[in-house]
Amino acid sequence: MAVIETGAGAHATHPEHRQARTAWGLAAPALALMVLILLVPVVVAGVLSFSNYSLGNPGFDWVGAQNYERLFTRSTYEKMFIATLTYVVTVVPISVGLGLGAAMLVHSLGRIGDIYKTIYFLPVMATLLAMAIAWEFMLHPTIGMVNRTLALACGSWLEAIPFFASGCADGFPLWLGDRDYAIWVVCFIGIWQGFGFNMVLYLAGLTSVHRELYHAAEMDGAKSAWERFRLVTWPALGPTTVFVVTISCIRAFQVFDTIEAFWPQGGGPNKSAYVMMFAIFEKGVQQNLIGIGSAITMLFLVFVMFLTLIQRWLVERKVHYG
Amino acid sequence: MTRDWWKHLVLILGAIIVLAPFYMMVSYSFKSPGEIDRGEGGFFGRQEMMIDPRCVALRQPDRADIEAARDRFPGQDDAGVQAALLAETEAACSMRPAVFNYTKAFTEAPLIRYLMNGVIVTVSIFLIQIVVALPAAYALAKLKFWGREAVFGLVLFCLLIPVHAIALPLYIMLAKLGLTNTYAALVVPWTISVFGIFLMRQFFMTVPDDLIDAARMDGMSEFAIVWRVMLPTAIPALLAFAIFSIVAHWNDYFWPRIVVTGNRDLFTPPLGLREFKGDGDGSFFGPMMATATVIVTPLIVAFLIAQRRFIEGITLSGMK
């Protein structure tokens, strides 16, 4: 691309050089901030994860891999991994599945479906902390809507289900106070909040699937709706699915608001909902144990980068075109 | 339509579950504590006059009040005057539950201040993100310079780093600079949006070179081209990015929770709500739900008005 010089005063410097200088000038602020705000902290976290540094103390010692060793040996962190993985492994498939299902239903309804799209997208927009508090009231053991609704089933045929039978006899669960239920409630809210987002991504994917493909599949003998889905829709949505799964995973790893809203002091009954993000906050900020907090941070980054790299690899390797 | 009834059935059931907490939040924000406790009153509650016990406790008539009021109630003994005064106070302290909840929400905590903070923080984050990202995106898309590939590679790499994950080192850096509990702490980590650079760069790639060359012929500097040629063409992409950025930061709870400790003047709306929860006893459910409603409403209303744009904007967010 030729740069056209204007005006009489041709500068001593070569125009290409001048453009390069301007370009660096334009990119410099962004570059500086990227280094300072994103790259330096990663390095800092990496370095501190080998120390017992804490804010306000003048000195610190190098402790080698001790922080990481703790992460893999202490039962608290075992609970952290279990809670985080439970959340990710539950929320990601279900919110992706519900997102896809809702998208297919909404898509098949045409314009009338838009009302459902609007409704399902509301939780994505709403402040999660506020909604967590609303859910806390819903799940309140005595005045909550959930247990009251469940109690309506008492005395009906539903009492044949063991859950209802024991609920009607001894009261329905405490939900947030019960270590058998706590993490599942958090998962449920995570799904409630996130599947609308996946639905919208899938809807975007569905509109780009050509109608002719369905006709072609029908001619080739794909008679049932399931066959058409398996042969046309699902492969066509391949790239969307990879994208949706990755984003859902990254978001699921970052769950924090609900946990902190429900259990400000400690990540759930018996640490059953002690997720990584909460652990970073509790160890690093509240207890000022920056070494161990940094080690969790590093592990977290490794997970997320690994996921994103897998996504890129998948997208580049097998993009389907129906 | 009749063929699709089962689809509607499934979707309506889903919609009920999705809407339930919203319904409850708004409904509780209208009801009196008694109605909340007993779970009655429908959506709006009965809106019977209720007496605010805290208000009465604060205005309990004392000796001096009784002395002063004696003239107004001739022929009554002290107890009678006191009873009459108490009745007056109760009358002054009684109001409709909905009014009670919402006035409490705004008076019990400086909710207006929190909302203002929310606006200040989200708007400054967005403006700084644009000022930083737009020139960089232009340079990466339209200018040839040695090292461009390296810079773009760096952008792609930084897309992998979720800012929330590196909160701890950022917090340490800000603490070392003495910046915790300032607006700067709330804004600084978000000034760089790698995603914004990436999005804008992709958008600028589609802008024809001729447009830029023409601007150069007119004697515009590269800097002027960014703001007077590229910015106007990028409005649709910027709008999408604005929605993504504002929604993310209005709703963000994690980062403010870390860098704002105790200083109520800096609380963003979610932090304010959290504090409300901290000191509210059981009778404060109504005002708390009113606060939650006030915080959630602006974005929801904006969303309902401009759905398509919002969905585009949020969908683009991909790499949050």
Side-chain angles (χ1 to χ4, degrees):
Chain A
M1 184 183 70
V3 177
I4 298 141
E5 278 288 288
T6 54
H11 289 272
T13 39
H14 200 272
E16 302 243 315
H17 283 205
R18 246 187 42 215
Q19 200 186 43
R21 269 223 314 274
T22 338
W24 277 103
L26 291 172
L31 212 55
L33 287 174
M34 258 193 299
V35 171
L36 271 177
I37 291 176
L38 298 170
L39 296 180
V40 170
V42 172
V43 176
V44 168
V47 171
L48 289 178
S49 71
F50 295 103
S51 76
N52 64 1
Y53 179 78
S54 62
L55 264 179
N57 285 6
F60 63 89
D61 293 320
W62 297 105
V63 296
Q66 193 189 309
N67 289 325
Y68 290 97
E69 211 179 292
R70 274 188 204 170
L71 282 186
F72 291 110
T73 51
R74 299 232 170 141
S75 68
T76 318
Y77 301 111
E78 196 190 316
K79 282 177 183 167
M80 174 182 85
F81 288 121
I82 292 175
T84 312
L85 286 179
T86 311
Y87 186 85
V88 174
V89 169
T90 314
V91 170
V92 173
I94 299 183
S95 69
V96 171
L98 281 180
L100 176 61
M104 307 243 318
L105 288 182
V106 166
H107 186 70
S108 70
L109 289 176
R111 292 301 302 270
I112 333 165
D114 280 359
I115 177 78
Y116 298 111
K117 184 165 90 176
T118 305
I119 291 172
Y120 291 173
F121 202 69
L122 284 178
V124 182
M125 303 293 309
T127 313
L128 183 54
L129 184 82
M131 297 326 290
I133 291 174
W135 272 111
E136 194 174 359
F137 281 97
M138 299 271 295
L139 295 162
H140 193 287
T142 55
I143 66 165
M145 205 186 257
V146 172
N147 279 2
R148 275 185 182 156
T149 311
L150 290 177
L152 291 180
C154 287
S156 73
W157 58 271
L158 276 170
E159 265 203 73
I161 304 168
F163 175 81
F164 278 100
S166 68
C168 293
D170 321 315
F172 284 101
L174 291 174
W175 300 117
L176 298 176
D178 190 327
R179 69 174 173 187
D180 292 335
Y181 290 108
I183 186 71
W184 304 111
V185 171
V186 174
C187 288
F188 173 81
I189 297 172
I191 295 163
W192 171 86
Q193 204 254 339
F195 87 96
F197 180 69
N198 296 341
M199 172 197 69
V200 162
L201 291 176
Y202 271 123
L203 275 172
L206 281 173
T207 47
S208 62
V209 184
H210 292 294
R211 294 206 149 271
E212 294 87 65
L213 287 174
Y214 289 105
H215 294 311
E218 229 163 311
M219 299 241 246
D220 288 349
K223 290 278 175 269
S224 70
W226 166 247
E227 287 277 280
R228 283 198 299 275
F229 173 79
R230 196 175 60 83
L231 292 171
V232 180
T233 319
W234 182 244
L237 290 177
T240 314
T241 304
V242 173
F243 183 64
V244 169
V245 169
T246 319
I247 291 181
S248 301
C249 279
I250 294 175
R251 289 169 148 237
F253 267 113
Q254 296 190 43
V255 59
F256 174 80
D257 300 19
T258 37
I259 310 282
E260 219 268 349
F262 294 154
W263 307 284
Q265 317 293 341
N270 196 24
K271 295 245 179 241
S272 54
Y274 189 65
V275 295
M276 283 180 103
M277 217 59 186
F278 186 82
I280 293 176
F281 172 69
E282 191 196 55
K283 293 291 161 193
V285 179
Q286 287 189 321
Q287 300 179 0
N288 202 3
L289 298 170
I290 286 173
I292 195 86
S294 300
I296 307 173
T297 301
M298 291 314 285
L299 227 57
F300 189 98
L301 282 176
V302 169
F303 283 144
V304 169
M305 289 193 178
F306 181 66
L307 283 171
T308 322
L309 289 175
I310 290 184
Q311 180 215 3
R312 289 222 182 133
W313 181 74
L314 277 177
V315 168
E316 270 161 35
R317 211 172 138 270
K318 47 175 242 179
V319 180
H320 300 274
Y321 294 101
Chain B
M1 181 71 198
T2 44
R3 228 163 36 97
D4 290 338
W5 67 270
W6 65 272
K7 293 179 186 168
H8 284 286
L9 185 73
V10 172
L11 288 170
I12 287 171
L13 278 176
I16 289 173
I17 296 174
V18 167
L19 289 177
F22 290 99
Y23 172 88
M24 197 229 60
M25 178 177 77
V26 179
S27 167
Y28 277 22
S29 79
F30 293 136
K31 290 188 191 185
S32 70
E35 285 168 330
I36 292 174
D37 262 358
R38 294 186 299 274
E40 55 185 35
F43 182 72
F44 286 105
R46 280 196 307 276
Q47 297 299 328
E48 280 168 348
M49 292 303 250
M50 60 171 275
I51 295 162
D52 176 4
R54 291 197 186 190
C55 166
V56 175
L58 275 177
R59 299 210 229 159
Q60 204 63 254
D62 58 11
R63 223 34 264 161
D65 291 331
I66 296 173
E67 291 297 331
R70 186 155 295 161
D71 297 343
R72 288 201 286 136
F73 305 101
Q76 296 243 29
D77 60 355
D78 275 8
V81 175
Q82 190 173 10
L85 277 179
L86 209 57
E88 268 182 13
T89 315
E90 284 189 349
C93 285
S94 70
M95 48 183 126
R96 304 276 172 207
V99 178
F100 169 77
N101 289 339
Y102 281 91
T103 46
K104 273 288 168 216
F106 281 95
T107 54
E108 201 68 9
L111 184 55
I112 301 269
R113 171 89 204 215
Y114 300 161
L115 293 170
M116 282 303 298
N117 285 341
V119 172
I120 292 170
V121 169
T122 44
V123 170
S124 359
I125 288 175
F126 172 66
L127 291 181
I128 299 175
Q129 281 177 336
I130 292 304
V131 169
V132 172
L134 213 64
Y138 169 69
L140 284 173
K142 290 294 176 194
L143 298 179
K144 286 215 167 101
F145 61 99
W146 182 85
R148 182 168 85 163
E149 292 311 308
V151 174
F152 189 59
L154 192 67
V155 169
L156 290 180
F157 177 74
C158 285
L159 274 174
L160 295 177
I161 307 170
V163 184
H164 274 144
I166 50 169
L168 190 53
L170 279 173
Y171 163 72
I172 298 166
M173 286 160 68
L174 288 169
K176 283 278 166 206
L177 294 170
L179 285 175
T180 44
N181 285 310
T182 60
Y183 280 115
L186 289 168
V187 173
V188 165
W190 311 105
T191 50
I192 180 76
S193 170
V194 191
F195 168 69
I197 297 178
F198 182 75
L199 179 74
M200 290 301 147
R201 181 223 176 231
Q202 301 305 88
F203 188 81
F204 287 159
M205 296 291 271
T206 64
V207 174
D209 285 340
D210 295 347
L211 189 70
I212 298 158
D213 287 337
R216 287 196 185 114
M217 295 253 256
D218 289 345
M220 276 173 126
S221 70
E222 297 295 316
F223 188 75
I225 291 176
V226 172
W227 299 114
R228 290 177 40 205
V229 180
M230 300 309 270
L231 177 70
T233 59
I235 293 290
L238 277 178
L239 210 61
F241 180 67
I243 289 167
F244 153 65
S245 171
I246 287 170
V247 169
H249 296 115
W250 179 268
N251 290 337
D252 189 24
Y253 172 62
F254 182 68
W255 183 250
R257 181 80 179 82
I258 288 181
V259 289
V260 178
T261 45
N263 185 357
R264 287 177 105 189
D265 287 346
L266 288 172
F267 275 12
T268 55
L271 279 183
L273 176 64
R274 183 74 189 76
E275 190 197 44
F276 217 114
K277 190 185 173 221
D279 42 60
D281 51 41
S283 65
F284 254 58
F285 293 162
M288 204 166 111
M289 286 297 114
T291 310
T293 308
V294 169
I295 289 171
V296 169
T297 302
L299 291 183
I300 297 282
V301 169
F303 167 65
L304 291 176
I305 292 171
Q307 280 190 52
R308 184 175 291 195
R309 285 228 174 271
F310 265 76
I311 289 180
E312 267 169 25
I314 305 291
T315 310
L316 271 172
S317 73
M319 310 293 300
K320 189 188 155 178

